[in-house]
Amino acid sequence: MDLADGYVPHRVAAHTDDGRQIQALTFVADLDHEAYAGMLSPAETAERIASARGQRGTNRDYLERTLAQLARLGIQDPGLLGLGQAVAAFG
C-alpha cells in the first residue's frame, strides 16, 4: 500500500519505557517516488518547506509540530533544528 505523497507503511519493533517490545507502524519515504526531494541542498530544502503545502496542511507547520513534539520528549535532532531555523528565516 502506497500513501499519497510518497510514503510506504512499515511495521517495526519498538521498545516501550517499561522495556516491552511491541510492533509499531511507521511511514518511510519512498526513494523512488516522483515527489522525493532528498537530494536537494539544505537551502533548497528549507525554501520548499517554507512554501509547500500538502493535503493535510503546510510543510512548515508539519516541521514545527515535529520539532515541538521532539522537544517535549527531550529529543534533540541537530539536523532538524537547523532546518527549522533555516525555514524560519524565510519569514
Side-chain angles (χ1 to χ4, degrees):
M1 169 176 90
D2 283 343
L3 301 176
D5 304 322
Y7 291 93
V8 180
H10 287 276
R11 293 211 177 267
V12 298
H15 298 275
T16 63
D17 288 341
D18 63 6
R20 292 179 298 125
Q21 182 173 316
I22 61 171
Q23 288 291 308
L25 182 63
T26 187
F27 297 89
V28 179
D30 178 354
L31 305 183
D32 295 323
H33 192 277
E34 64 185 20
Y36 179 68
M39 303 311 256
L40 297 176
S41 72
E44 290 171 312
T45 300
E47 184 176 7
R48 284 201 185 182
I49 290 172
S51 61
R53 179 176 198 79
Q55 296 173 352
R56 294 176 182 90
T58 68
N59 277 183
R60 178 191 298 262
D61 286 345
Y62 180 80
L63 176 60
E64 289 171 355
R65 288 192 308 270
T66 298
L67 288 169
Q69 183 62 23
L70 289 174
R72 279 191 288 279
L73 295 171
I75 299 170
Q76 293 187 2
D77 183 318
L80 279 182
L81 289 170
L83 184 57
Q85 292 169 345
V87 170
F90 279 96

